[in-house]
Amino acid sequence: MTTATVTAPLRHNFINGRWVASRSGQTMERRNPADLREITSIAPLSTREEVRDAVAAAKAAFAGWRDTPAPLRGRILGRAAALVEKQKEALARTLSREEGKTLRESLVEIERSINILEFIAGEGRRLGGETMPSELRRNLAYTIKQPLGVVGAITPWNFPVAIPVWKIAPALVAGNTVVLKPSELTPECAAQVVELFGQAGLPAGVLNMVLGAGEEVGDELLQDREVRAISFTGSNEVGSHIYALAARQMKKCQCEMGGKNPVVVLRDADLELAAQSVVLGAFGSSGQRCTATSRVVVEHAVADAFVARLLEGARKLKVGNGLEADVDVGPLVDSQQLETVLHYLAIGKKESRLLLGGDRLSGPAYDHGYFVAPTIFDHVPWDSVIAQEEIFGPVLSVIRVADFDQALRVANSVKYGLSSSVYTNDARRIFDFIDRIETGITHVNAPTVASEAHLPFGGIKATGVGLREMGRVAIDFYTELKAVYIDYTSLPA
Ligand code: NAP
């Protein structure tokens, strides 16, 4: 176990290109969830007035940034990508200390952020509309994409580098200015991301950040009439509130929320491959990812053989401080998340058959953090609480089904629709699954958790409302389309 140290930078808001101390006088201490003796940062609980300052700075910077040619805006993002690459080891350590995921997982998150920055930087050279034939003679018709103005980004703690990046980058390349409100649990990661954007050469006011509580800072972003759009990632509870409030304000809004992602294992599947992938998808990042595998729906014919492999894989996982090299599963992010997961474990024990884990871990390696054992429940009824609700912890439900049709019905029985996967080599089943599974992302013979920077990311049903993030389509949320008609009959010859 690492020795506890008390090093805690006091973080400030970033407004108009400067780090500004909050006037609130109230702060929040963040501790390493793997070792609570270590304070990782102290951040202000900022006021609504400070949000208004940040919005005013973003508004003042908008005209200059909008008029900066898009390829030059993209070039700054390219420089940000290079800076992240240069500092990725240090950033990964900050991420693991603050959020708890393993160093390996932090590096993967940072690589993904670099990929997003590099891809979106190139969009600065492709930010065109369409040219179309006019119905009229000597007329030209085309579309252009224009920025919205000031955009608010409200982000969760579970990808504290990648999610701010995948909102900020397309917003900026499209010519908007941004106010970021990161999670209270990960202010240090957010501050380092904002710092890197600043070092890449963004003009003052183009990117701002206000630290503090959702109910104050996030709410003020929603209330402020100068904020034209809100991009939110987080829970359904908060997302549905934000969506309704944004509608009342006539703000453009996208909300990416929870998941309950299934892996379907059919009788002809490569069971070893499927089991390895489910172990990775269910217990990686301690199950605290929106694309985590939380249900495995397996045909009766191979269920026992599959579960045996699953148990073998899960038993090998080492839980501990993510900064230690051989650790596979880190802690939960905070006491509230721990409480939620323990609540679902108690329900699961009543509803289903516990095969592995099921409790908080204790002992010298665990007593200073929020560690829960990787947990597998078997014979889980498809409509039970643990099979339907997002747990956001290292908890996997095995649901046994008779055949492919029942597997699909069960997979689609939840309110969420983010990611899914099927393990089979039957071509007809593969295409049936792709056609009928109700998720925004789907995989074949691969884990539910992978995604690439140039493909759209997001869910359907209760998971996602508004336009998709990432990929080329990310730009659509941050732009308005203008249709242009030019009649050149009367122009001088
Ligand atoms: P959360 O509690 O909903 O918080 C998300 C953000 O909203 C935080 O910055 C939070 O601030 C802020 N917020 C809270 N109340 C607010 C209000 N009344 N007005 C404005 N903002 C408010 O979610 P979380 O616990 O951080 O994240 C976990 C959730 O995110 C899971 O459900 C997960 O599935 C989801 N997620 C989804 C995706 C996806 O792409 N679909 C990706 C990652 C995570 P504070 O918490 O700082 O107060």
Side-chain angles (χ1 to χ4, degrees):
M1 181 147 198
T2 48
T3 319
T5 50
V6 182
T7 47
L10 171 62
R11 277 299 175 183
H12 297 311
N13 295 322
F14 190 71
I15 299 177
N16 207 19
R18 290 187 311 117
W19 293 100
V20 189
S22 170
R23 298 186 289 272
S24 78
Q26 284 184 293
T27 54
M28 187 179 150
E29 209 175 75
R30 174 67 186 151
R31 288 171 183 263
N32 180 344
D35 187 345
L36 297 168
R37 294 166 297 179
E38 185 183 3
I39 302 171
T40 54
S41 69
I42 300 172
L45 290 168
S46 305
T47 62
R48 288 177 182 268
E49 198 187 344
E50 286 159 332
V51 179
R52 293 195 285 272
D53 292 347
V55 173
K59 191 179 176 212
F62 176 59
W65 185 243
R66 177 195 58 201
D67 293 342
T68 302
L72 298 190
R73 297 196 296 253
R75 186 173 291 165
I76 294 177
L77 296 186
R79 283 206 290 268
L83 286 169
V84 177
E85 173 75 48
K86 223 163 138 189
Q87 300 189 25
K88 69 180 176 193
E89 303 289 335
L91 192 51
R93 293 189 76 77
T94 301
L95 208 172
S96 290
R97 284 174 74 219
E98 189 171 55
E99 198 268 354
K101 64 181 66 172
T102 67
L103 213 45
R104 205 169 40 238
E105 290 165 341
S106 294
L107 279 167
V108 170
E109 174 172 346
I110 291 164
E111 289 292 347
R112 188 177 181 190
S113 309
I114 296 167
N115 294 344
I116 292 165
L117 283 165
E118 286 177 343
F119 173 72
I120 294 289
E123 287 304 292
R125 295 190 176 273
R126 288 185 287 266
L127 209 66
E130 285 180 291
T131 308
M132 278 154 294
S134 169
E135 294 167 1
L136 305 172
R137 287 170 200 279
R138 298 182 68 73
N139 268 251
L140 172 63
Y142 66 99
T143 61
I144 51 174
K145 288 181 183 172
Q146 296 192 298
L148 311 173
V150 180
V151 166
I154 302 178
T155 54
W157 47 265
N158 71 328
F159 281 88
V161 172
I163 295 181
V165 165
W166 85 48
K167 294 184 189 300
I168 293 168
L172 293 184
V173 87
N176 303 280
T177 54
V178 176
V179 179
L180 169 67
K181 186 277 183 251
S183 165
E184 280 170 284
L185 300 183
T186 48
E188 185 56 31
C189 285
Q192 293 195 16
V193 167
V194 166
E195 203 154 17
L196 288 167
F197 273 105
Q199 287 169 10
L202 279 183
V206 168
L207 173 61
N208 307 273
M209 177 186 71
V210 185
L211 299 169
E215 290 85 357
E216 286 289 305
V217 174
D219 186 68
E220 186 58 32
L221 272 179
L222 277 148
Q223 305 292 350
D224 195 314
R225 293 193 178 279
E226 297 296 346
V227 177
R228 308 302 312 147
I230 294 285
S231 178
F232 166 83
T233 300
S235 63
N236 281 69
E237 193 188 1
V238 175
S240 53
H241 165 74
I242 285 181
Y243 196 53
L245 213 61
R248 247 180 277 148
Q249 304 273 346
M250 304 292 275
K251 285 190 204 311
K252 211 171 170 182
C253 186
Q254 66 181 176
C255 296
E256 280 301 333
M257 299 164 283
K260 192 73 192 170
N261 312 294
V263 166
V264 168
V265 180
L266 298 183
R267 62 188 72 207
D268 73 311
D270 177 337
L271 297 184
E272 190 55 43
L273 180 72
Q276 280 172 17
S277 136
V278 170
V279 167
L280 174 84
F283 305 121
S285 303
S286 314
Q288 299 176 120
R289 35 197 315 170
C290 51
T291 54
T293 306
S294 50
R295 297 177 296 153
V296 56
V297 184
V298 55
E299 280 193 272
H300 281 308
V302 290
D304 287 339
F306 172 75
V307 167
R309 286 171 170 82
L310 196 60
L311 275 172
E312 198 188 327
R315 282 198 180 109
K316 287 187 193 140
L317 296 172
K318 183 172 176 201
V319 181
N321 188 327
L323 290 169
E324 289 164 18
D326 55 345
V327 163
D328 304 297
V329 180
L332 296 176
V333 75
D334 70 352
S335 57
Q336 204 180 322
Q337 201 56 37
L338 175 70
E339 211 176 288
T340 304
V341 172
L342 294 179
H343 162 77
Y344 281 113
L345 291 180
I347 294 176
K349 286 174 192 170
K350 286 186 201 136
E351 285 179 332
S352 307
R353 192 181 301 170
L354 178 67
L355 287 188
L356 185 71
D359 282 308
R360 183 177 185 175
L361 290 166
S362 59
Y366 302 121
D367 287 347
H368 294 288
Y370 301 120
F371 296 99
V372 166
T375 296
I376 300 176
F377 288 105
D378 197 358
H379 296 279
V380 177
W382 68 269
D383 57 350
S384 59
V385 172
I386 62 163
Q388 291 288 317
E389 296 184 11
E390 185 184 50
I391 299 174
F392 228 52
V395 184
L396 177 70
S397 295
V398 179
I399 305 169
R400 297 174 179 235
V401 291
D403 55 24
F404 176 69
D405 283 333
Q406 194 187 4
L408 255 177
R409 275 200 305 281
V410 166
N412 286 336
S413 69
V414 295
K415 68 176 180 178
Y416 299 105
L418 184 54
S419 186
S420 58
S421 179
V422 65
Y423 279 79
T424 178
N425 291 311
D426 179 331
R428 196 162 57 84
R429 296 286 190 233
I430 289 174
F431 287 102
D432 280 349
F433 185 82
I434 293 168
D435 284 346
R436 289 161 58 194
I437 189 73
E438 295 168 356
T439 57
I441 303 165
T442 196
H443 299 267
V444 176
N445 294 324
T448 53
V449 290
S451 69
E452 299 188 20
H454 50 297
L455 272 82
F457 182 91
I460 61 172
K461 304 203 299 195
T463 294
V465 286
L467 295 165
R468 287 283 195 282
E469 305 201 80
M470 297 213 283
R472 293 204 68 187
V473 74
I475 302 293
D476 293 348
F477 177 72
Y478 295 103
T479 51
E480 293 289 8
L481 268 184
K482 185 175 280 175
V484 184
Y485 298 90
I486 300 178
D487 182 339
Y488 52 91
T489 41
S490 60
L491 293 181

